[in-house]
Structure formats: structure tokens, C-alpha cells
Amino acid sequence: KVIKMNYQLVTLADKLVVGITDRTNNAAPDMGKKIGQLWQRFYSDGHVDKIAHRIDHVALGIYTDYASDEKGDYTVMVACQVTEPSSCFETRVIKGGKYAKFVVKASQDQLVSKVAAAWTAIWQMPLPRLFAADFEAYQVADGEQAEVHIYISLKE
């Protein structure tokens, strides 16, 4: 069944981000596990606390370096936005431009499944995707409720 999702068109400025990366694709049987392990390393190995010059406490899940489209390989990065590059982590720039912004709200225990369902819906939408960098911004959770903003890069 196709899930309809509302979104807002936004224009973003360049974002300097630092974090850790891995490479996968949506057809890989271990894709979810790889992404989950990247998040696990980011938090349990204390990477998040070692990132200097952070702008805020928002963690970013970034999908970039697409080989083609949602069917090809891409780099997944777990990162934070910063004001200066890092010599200890990978540094990237998320290019500014036009994005479709989706908002996912869920309880903490349902967040992963709700975000996955949102991506499934997004892949089915006829968006003029750029496949430059798409990302999830995990907003600071308020008690049991969490909110994730998903940004999809669009052609101008």
C-alpha cells in the first residue's frame, strides 16, 4: 500500500558536517544492520562526544555519494553539523539548495520503524530528486516523543 506523505519545500544553506561513514545500498540484505551499527558506533564508542565545534545537539543521518538513484550504492554518514572541519573524523559539506522536508513524529520505541516507513513512502513518490545528499535530522527528543526531519535534495 502506498503511504501518502506531506512535505514542505525549503531552501537550505550549505552545512559542514563531521562524522563516520559506511557504504551500502537499499537492496543489500545487511543494509539496515550496517546503518544500525554505524549509529551504534557513533553513540556507544563516544564519537558524538568527541566532535568539536558542534552547532547543536541534532544528530544527522546522511545519504550521499549516490552511484545512481535509490537503487544504487551510496555512502551513509552519521554526523553532527559543525563550524570547523575535523582532523579526527570525515568532513563533508551538504550542499545547500532546494529540499523536500518531511516530518516524522513517533514515540521513542517506534521511531526506527516510522522512519523506515517514511523512506519507503518517499521512494514511491514522484519527486524530482537530485540524489546529491538526503538526510535525517534527529531533533532533541521531548520525553517519550521524538521528531525526525527528513530532507530530500531536489532538482532546481
Side-chain angles (χ1 to χ4, degrees):
K1 104 187 176 195
V2 176
I3 302 166
K4 292 226 183 290
M5 288 191 62
N6 294 326
Y7 62 92
Q8 174 184 7
L9 288 177
V10 297
T11 301
L12 301 179
D14 287 359
K15 292 180 182 299
L16 182 66
V17 297
V18 300
I20 56 176
T21 62
D22 203 347
R23 192 106 175 124
T24 189
N25 73 60
N26 293 334
D30 66 344
M31 179 266 295
K33 184 178 176 185
K34 263 189 173 181
I35 294 173
Q37 287 173 338
L38 201 60
W39 279 100
Q40 180 79 25
R41 278 185 26 225
F42 189 68
Y43 283 107
S44 65
D45 295 356
H47 293 312
V48 67
D49 299 319
K50 296 174 191 157
I51 294 176
H53 311 291
R54 288 196 352 224
I55 288 180
D56 52 31
H57 293 286
V58 175
L60 303 173
I62 304 163
Y63 308 92
T64 189
D65 303 332
Y66 287 96
S68 54
D69 55 18
E70 73 275 5
K71 295 176 180 72
D73 288 357
Y74 57 87
T75 297
V76 60
M77 179 179 203
V78 179
C80 291
Q81 187 176 356
V82 295
T83 55
E84 295 181 28
S86 169
S87 57
C88 305
F89 296 97
E90 243 183 273
T91 300
R92 300 277 179 104
V93 174
I94 298 174
K95 284 282 179 213
K98 192 161 92 172
Y99 285 79
K101 175 186 176 184
F102 297 84
V103 177
V104 178
K105 294 181 182 183
S107 59
Q108 295 280 7
D109 60 334
Q110 291 191 327
L111 193 61
V112 171
S113 62
K114 293 264 185 169
V115 169
W119 277 106
T120 299
I122 290 166
W123 294 333
Q124 296 173 12
M125 294 175 76
L127 294 169
R129 292 185 62 186
L130 187 58
F131 293 102
D134 304 316
F135 63 98
E136 305 155 349
Y138 287 80
Q139 307 303 308
V140 177
D142 180 21
E144 285 300 304
Q145 276 299 108
E147 188 170 306
V148 178
H149 299 170
I150 300 175
Y151 295 88
I152 305 297
S153 59
L154 300 176
K155 296 173 182 166
E156 289 296 332

mmCIF file of all heavy atoms in Angstrom, residues 20-56:
data_model
loop_
_atom_site.group_PDB
_atom_site.id
_atom_site.type_symbol
_atom_site.label_atom_id
_atom_site.label_comp_id
_atom_site.label_asym_id
_atom_site.label_seq_id
_atom_site.Cartn_x
_atom_site.Cartn_y
_atom_site.Cartn_z
ATOM 1 N N ILE A 20 31.121 9.682 10.920
ATOM 2 C CA ILE A 20 31.670 8.415 10.457
ATOM 3 C C ILE A 20 30.803 7.877 9.325
ATOM 4 O O ILE A 20 29.607 8.183 9.256
ATOM 5 C CB ILE A 20 31.783 7.394 11.615
ATOM 6 C CG1 ILE A 20 30.428 7.173 12.306
ATOM 7 C CG2 ILE A 20 32.814 7.859 12.636
ATOM 8 C CD1 ILE A 20 30.426 6.105 13.406
ATOM 9 N N THR A 21 31.394 7.080 8.427
ATOM 10 C CA THR A 21 30.680 6.634 7.231
ATOM 11 C C THR A 21 30.814 5.130 6.975
ATOM 12 O O THR A 21 31.700 4.466 7.498
ATOM 13 C CB THR A 21 31.202 7.349 5.967
ATOM 14 O OG1 THR A 21 32.578 7.008 5.786
ATOM 15 C CG2 THR A 21 31.045 8.851 6.057
ATOM 16 N N ASP A 22 29.920 4.655 6.103
ATOM 17 C CA ASP A 22 29.981 3.306 5.557
ATOM 18 C C ASP A 22 29.304 3.364 4.191
ATOM 19 O O ASP A 22 28.677 4.365 3.852
ATOM 20 C CB ASP A 22 29.268 2.309 6.475
ATOM 21 C CG ASP A 22 29.749 0.863 6.272
ATOM 22 O OD1 ASP A 22 30.446 0.590 5.263
ATOM 23 O OD2 ASP A 22 29.424 0.015 7.112
ATOM 24 N N ARG A 23 29.436 2.311 3.404
ATOM 25 C CA ARG A 23 28.853 2.278 2.054
ATOM 26 C C ARG A 23 27.876 1.101 1.986
ATOM 27 O O ARG A 23 28.166 0.024 2.499
ATOM 28 C CB ARG A 23 29.995 2.107 1.043
ATOM 29 C CG ARG A 23 29.590 2.340 -0.393
ATOM 30 C CD ARG A 23 30.106 3.662 -0.915
ATOM 31 N NE ARG A 23 29.775 3.773 -2.322
ATOM 32 C CZ ARG A 23 29.083 4.769 -2.841
ATOM 33 N NH1 ARG A 23 28.690 5.762 -2.085
ATOM 34 N NH2 ARG A 23 28.801 4.801 -4.112
ATOM 35 N N THR A 24 26.719 1.306 1.350
ATOM 36 C CA THR A 24 25.731 0.238 1.229
ATOM 37 C C THR A 24 24.792 0.553 0.064
ATOM 38 O O THR A 24 25.037 1.500 -0.690
ATOM 39 C CB THR A 24 24.936 0.062 2.553
ATOM 40 O OG1 THR A 24 24.143 -1.128 2.463
ATOM 41 C CG2 THR A 24 24.050 1.256 2.849
ATOM 42 N N ASN A 25 23.732 -0.233 -0.076
ATOM 43 C CA ASN A 25 22.637 0.098 -0.991
ATOM 44 C C ASN A 25 21.357 -0.515 -0.454
ATOM 45 O O ASN A 25 21.401 -1.417 0.388
ATOM 46 C CB ASN A 25 22.942 -0.293 -2.444
ATOM 47 C CG ASN A 25 22.896 -1.780 -2.678
ATOM 48 O OD1 ASN A 25 21.865 -2.408 -2.461
ATOM 49 N ND2 ASN A 25 24.004 -2.350 -3.107
ATOM 50 N N ASN A 26 20.230 -0.021 -0.931
ATOM 51 C CA ASN A 26 18.938 -0.425 -0.381
ATOM 52 C C ASN A 26 18.583 -1.881 -0.654
ATOM 53 O O ASN A 26 17.724 -2.434 0.019
ATOM 54 C CB ASN A 26 17.832 0.495 -0.902
ATOM 55 C CG ASN A 26 17.987 1.895 -0.361
ATOM 56 O OD1 ASN A 26 18.558 2.103 0.703
ATOM 57 N ND2 ASN A 26 17.490 2.873 -1.094
ATOM 58 N N ALA A 27 19.234 -2.514 -1.624
ATOM 59 C CA ALA A 27 18.943 -3.915 -1.924
ATOM 60 C C ALA A 27 19.814 -4.868 -1.111
ATOM 61 O O ALA A 27 19.549 -6.068 -1.071
ATOM 62 C CB ALA A 27 19.149 -4.176 -3.420
ATOM 63 N N ALA A 28 20.852 -4.349 -0.452
ATOM 64 C CA ALA A 28 21.757 -5.205 0.323
ATOM 65 C C ALA A 28 21.010 -5.820 1.507
ATOM 66 O O ALA A 28 20.313 -5.117 2.226
ATOM 67 C CB ALA A 28 22.949 -4.390 0.814
ATOM 68 N N PRO A 29 21.146 -7.142 1.697
ATOM 69 C CA PRO A 29 20.434 -7.782 2.805
ATOM 70 C C PRO A 29 20.863 -7.241 4.182
ATOM 71 O O PRO A 29 20.087 -7.291 5.126
ATOM 72 C CB PRO A 29 20.782 -9.263 2.673
ATOM 73 C CG PRO A 29 21.814 -9.371 1.617
ATOM 74 C CD PRO A 29 21.908 -8.075 0.885
ATOM 75 N N ASP A 30 22.076 -6.709 4.261
ATOM 76 C CA ASP A 30 22.574 -6.197 5.549
ATOM 77 C C ASP A 30 22.508 -4.672 5.651
ATOM 78 O O ASP A 30 23.104 -4.083 6.553
ATOM 79 C CB ASP A 30 24.001 -6.675 5.784
ATOM 80 C CG ASP A 30 24.998 -6.103 4.784
ATOM 81 O OD1 ASP A 30 24.568 -5.585 3.722
ATOM 82 O OD2 ASP A 30 26.207 -6.171 5.054
ATOM 83 N N MET A 31 21.761 -4.015 4.745
ATOM 84 C CA MET A 31 21.695 -2.549 4.728
ATOM 85 C C MET A 31 21.249 -1.995 6.074
ATOM 86 O O MET A 31 21.900 -1.139 6.658
ATOM 87 C CB MET A 31 20.766 -2.082 3.607
ATOM 88 C CG MET A 31 20.594 -0.567 3.485
ATOM 89 S SD MET A 31 19.171 0.148 4.357
ATOM 90 C CE MET A 31 17.800 -0.564 3.489
ATOM 91 N N GLY A 32 20.130 -2.480 6.596
ATOM 92 C CA GLY A 32 19.611 -1.990 7.871
ATOM 93 C C GLY A 32 20.589 -2.228 9.010
ATOM 94 O O GLY A 32 20.781 -1.370 9.873
ATOM 95 N N LYS A 33 21.220 -3.394 8.983
ATOM 96 C CA LYS A 33 22.193 -3.743 10.026
ATOM 97 C C LYS A 33 23.402 -2.812 9.966
ATOM 98 O O LYS A 33 23.883 -2.315 10.990
ATOM 99 C CB LYS A 33 22.621 -5.201 9.858
ATOM 100 C CG LYS A 33 23.545 -5.708 10.939
ATOM 101 C CD LYS A 33 23.867 -7.178 10.722
ATOM 102 C CE LYS A 33 24.879 -7.646 11.750
ATOM 103 N NZ LYS A 33 25.303 -9.015 11.504
ATOM 104 N N LYS A 34 23.892 -2.546 8.736
ATOM 105 C CA LYS A 34 25.047 -1.652 8.562
ATOM 106 C C LYS A 34 24.750 -0.249 9.093
ATOM 107 O O LYS A 34 25.565 0.354 9.777
ATOM 108 C CB LYS A 34 25.427 -1.539 7.078
ATOM 109 C CG LYS A 34 26.538 -2.427 6.647
ATOM 110 C CD LYS A 34 26.969 -2.075 5.226
ATOM 111 C CE LYS A 34 28.192 -2.864 4.854
ATOM 112 N NZ LYS A 34 28.665 -2.564 3.513
ATOM 113 N N ILE A 35 23.569 0.267 8.743
ATOM 114 C CA ILE A 35 23.196 1.609 9.192
ATOM 115 C C ILE A 35 23.023 1.615 10.709
ATOM 116 O O ILE A 35 23.493 2.521 11.395
ATOM 117 C CB ILE A 35 21.935 2.107 8.451
ATOM 118 C CG1 ILE A 35 22.257 2.305 6.960
ATOM 119 C CG2 ILE A 35 21.413 3.406 9.067
ATOM 120 C CD1 ILE A 35 21.064 2.621 6.085
ATOM 121 N N GLY A 36 22.380 0.583 11.241
ATOM 122 C CA GLY A 36 22.202 0.469 12.690
ATOM 123 C C GLY A 36 23.532 0.420 13.431
ATOM 124 O O GLY A 36 23.710 1.068 14.468
ATOM 125 N N GLN A 37 24.482 -0.355 12.872
ATOM 126 C CA GLN A 37 25.807 -0.456 13.501
ATOM 127 C C GLN A 37 26.548 0.872 13.455
ATOM 128 O O GLN A 37 27.302 1.192 14.376
ATOM 129 C CB GLN A 37 26.635 -1.556 12.826
ATOM 130 C CG GLN A 37 26.172 -2.950 13.177
ATOM 131 C CD GLN A 37 26.878 -4.036 12.380
ATOM 132 O OE1 GLN A 37 27.420 -3.797 11.302
ATOM 133 N NE2 GLN A 37 26.859 -5.254 12.896
ATOM 134 N N LEU A 38 26.355 1.635 12.388
ATOM 135 C CA LEU A 38 27.000 2.948 12.289
ATOM 136 C C LEU A 38 26.480 3.867 13.400
ATOM 137 O O LEU A 38 27.273 4.539 14.067
ATOM 138 C CB LEU A 38 26.728 3.547 10.903
ATOM 139 C CG LEU A 38 27.669 4.633 10.415
ATOM 140 C CD1 LEU A 38 29.101 4.132 10.331
ATOM 141 C CD2 LEU A 38 27.220 5.136 9.051
ATOM 142 N N TRP A 39 25.165 3.875 13.608
ATOM 143 C CA TRP A 39 24.581 4.670 14.696
ATOM 144 C C TRP A 39 25.089 4.178 16.046
ATOM 145 O O TRP A 39 25.412 4.971 16.929
ATOM 146 C CB TRP A 39 23.050 4.602 14.652
ATOM 147 C CG TRP A 39 22.452 5.527 13.650
ATOM 148 C CD1 TRP A 39 22.002 5.204 12.394
ATOM 149 C CD2 TRP A 39 22.251 6.934 13.781
ATOM 150 N NE1 TRP A 39 21.535 6.321 11.754
ATOM 151 C CE2 TRP A 39 21.668 7.401 12.590
ATOM 152 C CE3 TRP A 39 22.501 7.854 14.800
ATOM 153 C CZ2 TRP A 39 21.331 8.729 12.378
ATOM 154 C CZ3 TRP A 39 22.167 9.183 14.594
ATOM 155 C CH2 TRP A 39 21.585 9.600 13.402
ATOM 156 N N GLN A 40 25.150 2.860 16.197
ATOM 157 C CA GLN A 40 25.629 2.263 17.451
ATOM 158 C C GLN A 40 27.054 2.733 17.752
ATOM 159 O O GLN A 40 27.357 3.144 18.864
ATOM 160 C CB GLN A 40 25.578 0.730 17.316
ATOM 161 C CG GLN A 40 26.051 -0.032 18.529
ATOM 162 C CD GLN A 40 25.000 -0.089 19.615
ATOM 163 O OE1 GLN A 40 23.810 0.011 19.332
ATOM 164 N NE2 GLN A 40 25.426 -0.219 20.849
ATOM 165 N N ARG A 41 27.938 2.650 16.742
ATOM 166 C CA ARG A 41 29.328 3.099 16.922
ATOM 167 C C ARG A 41 29.382 4.577 17.266
ATOM 168 O O ARG A 41 30.179 4.997 18.106
ATOM 169 C CB ARG A 41 30.142 2.853 15.637
ATOM 170 C CG ARG A 41 30.636 1.449 15.494
ATOM 171 C CD ARG A 41 31.540 1.213 14.277
ATOM 172 N NE ARG A 41 32.266 2.353 13.779
ATOM 173 C CZ ARG A 41 32.364 2.678 12.491
ATOM 174 N NH1 ARG A 41 31.761 1.983 11.570
ATOM 175 N NH2 ARG A 41 33.075 3.717 12.117
ATOM 176 N N PHE A 42 28.560 5.372 16.601
ATOM 177 C CA PHE A 42 28.560 6.809 16.805
ATOM 178 C C PHE A 42 28.301 7.153 18.270
ATOM 179 O O PHE A 42 28.968 8.012 18.844
ATOM 180 C CB PHE A 42 27.493 7.451 15.909
ATOM 181 C CG PHE A 42 27.527 8.949 15.861
ATOM 182 C CD1 PHE A 42 28.582 9.609 15.263
ATOM 183 C CD2 PHE A 42 26.484 9.699 16.383
ATOM 184 C CE1 PHE A 42 28.611 11.002 15.190
ATOM 185 C CE2 PHE A 42 26.499 11.090 16.316
ATOM 186 C CZ PHE A 42 27.569 11.738 15.724
ATOM 187 N N TYR A 43 27.342 6.448 18.869
ATOM 188 C CA TYR A 43 26.986 6.733 20.261
ATOM 189 C C TYR A 43 27.778 5.899 21.267
ATOM 190 O O TYR A 43 28.339 6.438 22.213
ATOM 191 C CB TYR A 43 25.484 6.560 20.488
ATOM 192 C CG TYR A 43 24.708 7.738 19.943
ATOM 193 C CD1 TYR A 43 23.958 7.635 18.789
ATOM 194 C CD2 TYR A 43 24.764 8.970 20.577
ATOM 195 C CE1 TYR A 43 23.265 8.727 18.282
ATOM 196 C CE2 TYR A 43 24.079 10.071 20.077
ATOM 197 C CZ TYR A 43 23.333 9.936 18.940
ATOM 198 O OH TYR A 43 22.663 11.023 18.437
ATOM 199 N N SER A 44 27.846 4.573 21.080
ATOM 200 C CA SER A 44 28.470 3.740 22.109
ATOM 201 C C SER A 44 29.991 3.908 22.157
ATOM 202 O O SER A 44 30.592 3.776 23.222
ATOM 203 C CB SER A 44 28.094 2.267 21.932
ATOM 204 O OG SER A 44 28.605 1.767 20.725
ATOM 205 N N ASP A 45 30.629 4.201 21.020
ATOM 206 C CA ASP A 45 32.077 4.427 21.025
ATOM 207 C C ASP A 45 32.419 5.873 21.391
ATOM 208 O O ASP A 45 33.572 6.266 21.360
ATOM 209 C CB ASP A 45 32.701 4.085 19.659
ATOM 210 C CG ASP A 45 32.593 2.592 19.320
ATOM 211 O OD1 ASP A 45 32.116 1.824 20.170
ATOM 212 O OD2 ASP A 45 32.977 2.219 18.202
ATOM 213 N N GLY A 46 31.407 6.665 21.692
ATOM 214 C CA GLY A 46 31.639 8.031 22.150
ATOM 215 C C GLY A 46 32.044 9.022 21.075
ATOM 216 O O GLY A 46 32.497 10.120 21.367
ATOM 217 N N HIS A 47 31.878 8.634 19.791
ATOM 218 C CA HIS A 47 32.255 9.565 18.710
ATOM 219 C C HIS A 47 31.517 10.888 18.840
ATOM 220 O O HIS A 47 32.091 11.953 18.644
ATOM 221 C CB HIS A 47 31.968 8.957 17.338
ATOM 222 C CG HIS A 47 32.827 7.781 17.002
ATOM 223 N ND1 HIS A 47 34.196 7.788 17.158
ATOM 224 C CD2 HIS A 47 32.508 6.562 16.511
ATOM 225 C CE1 HIS A 47 34.683 6.611 16.773
ATOM 226 N NE2 HIS A 47 33.677 5.857 16.387
ATOM 227 N N VAL A 48 30.226 10.812 19.160
ATOM 228 C CA VAL A 48 29.410 12.022 19.235
ATOM 229 C C VAL A 48 29.986 13.022 20.238
ATOM 230 O O VAL A 48 29.965 14.227 20.002
ATOM 231 C CB VAL A 48 27.927 11.683 19.558
ATOM 232 C CG1 VAL A 48 27.778 11.114 20.950
ATOM 233 C CG2 VAL A 48 27.046 12.914 19.382
ATOM 234 N N ASP A 49 30.554 12.526 21.329
ATOM 235 C CA ASP A 49 31.102 13.415 22.357
ATOM 236 C C ASP A 49 32.471 13.986 21.987
ATOM 237 O O ASP A 49 32.924 14.944 22.596
ATOM 238 C CB ASP A 49 31.194 12.678 23.693
ATOM 239 C CG ASP A 49 29.820 12.212 24.168
ATOM 240 O OD1 ASP A 49 28.854 12.991 24.019
ATOM 241 O OD2 ASP A 49 29.719 11.080 24.665
ATOM 242 N N LYS A 50 33.122 13.367 20.996
ATOM 243 C CA LYS A 50 34.459 13.816 20.587
ATOM 244 C C LYS A 50 34.418 14.845 19.458
ATOM 245 O O LYS A 50 35.447 15.377 19.060
ATOM 246 C CB LYS A 50 35.300 12.609 20.135
ATOM 247 C CG LYS A 50 35.568 11.606 21.243
ATOM 248 C CD LYS A 50 36.275 10.380 20.681
ATOM 249 C CE LYS A 50 36.295 9.265 21.707
ATOM 250 N NZ LYS A 50 36.464 7.962 21.091
ATOM 251 N N ILE A 51 33.235 15.110 18.923
ATOM 252 C CA ILE A 51 33.115 16.064 17.814
ATOM 253 C C ILE A 51 33.152 17.483 18.378
ATOM 254 O O ILE A 51 32.283 17.869 19.161
ATOM 255 C CB ILE A 51 31.830 15.826 16.995
ATOM 256 C CG1 ILE A 51 31.927 14.466 16.292
ATOM 257 C CG2 ILE A 51 31.618 16.947 15.977
ATOM 258 C CD1 ILE A 51 30.687 14.076 15.528
ATOM 259 N N ALA A 52 34.169 18.214 17.976
ATOM 260 C CA ALA A 52 34.326 19.601 18.445
ATOM 261 C C ALA A 52 33.559 20.556 17.542
ATOM 262 O O ALA A 52 33.246 20.229 16.393
ATOM 263 C CB ALA A 52 35.804 19.962 18.444
ATOM 264 N N HIS A 53 33.286 21.740 18.040
ATOM 265 C CA HIS A 53 32.659 22.838 17.272
ATOM 266 C C HIS A 53 31.262 22.494 16.769
ATOM 267 O O HIS A 53 30.845 22.963 15.705
ATOM 268 C CB HIS A 53 33.553 23.262 16.097
ATOM 269 C CG HIS A 53 34.971 23.507 16.484
ATOM 270 N ND1 HIS A 53 35.360 24.569 17.275
ATOM 271 C CD2 HIS A 53 36.096 22.804 16.227
ATOM 272 C CE1 HIS A 53 36.665 24.513 17.466
ATOM 273 N NE2 HIS A 53 37.133 23.459 16.859
ATOM 274 N N ARG A 54 30.525 21.650 17.518
ATOM 275 C CA ARG A 54 29.153 21.307 17.125
ATOM 276 C C ARG A 54 28.258 22.529 17.233
ATOM 277 O O ARG A 54 28.386 23.334 18.135
ATOM 278 C CB ARG A 54 28.607 20.197 18.018
ATOM 279 C CG ARG A 54 29.247 18.878 17.713
ATOM 280 C CD ARG A 54 28.573 17.648 18.235
ATOM 281 N NE ARG A 54 27.465 17.767 19.138
ATOM 282 C CZ ARG A 54 27.332 17.010 20.222
ATOM 283 N NH1 ARG A 54 28.251 16.120 20.536
ATOM 284 N NH2 ARG A 54 26.274 17.139 20.987
ATOM 285 N N ILE A 55 27.324 22.641 16.289
ATOM 286 C CA ILE A 55 26.384 23.759 16.280
ATOM 287 C C ILE A 55 25.235 23.508 17.251
ATOM 288 O O ILE A 55 24.755 24.415 17.900
ATOM 289 C CB ILE A 55 25.870 24.008 14.844
ATOM 290 C CG1 ILE A 55 27.006 24.614 14.030
ATOM 291 C CG2 ILE A 55 24.629 24.873 14.831
ATOM 292 C CD1 ILE A 55 26.673 24.912 12.604
ATOM 293 N N ASP A 56 24.785 22.239 17.331
ATOM 294 C CA ASP A 56 23.652 21.909 18.194
ATOM 295 C C ASP A 56 23.752 20.438 18.591
ATOM 296 O O ASP A 56 24.761 19.788 18.348
ATOM 297 C CB ASP A 56 22.332 22.207 17.472
ATOM 298 C CG ASP A 56 22.270 21.554 16.097
ATOM 299 O OD1 ASP A 56 22.873 20.478 15.900
ATOM 300 O OD2 ASP A 56 21.605 22.118 15.208
#
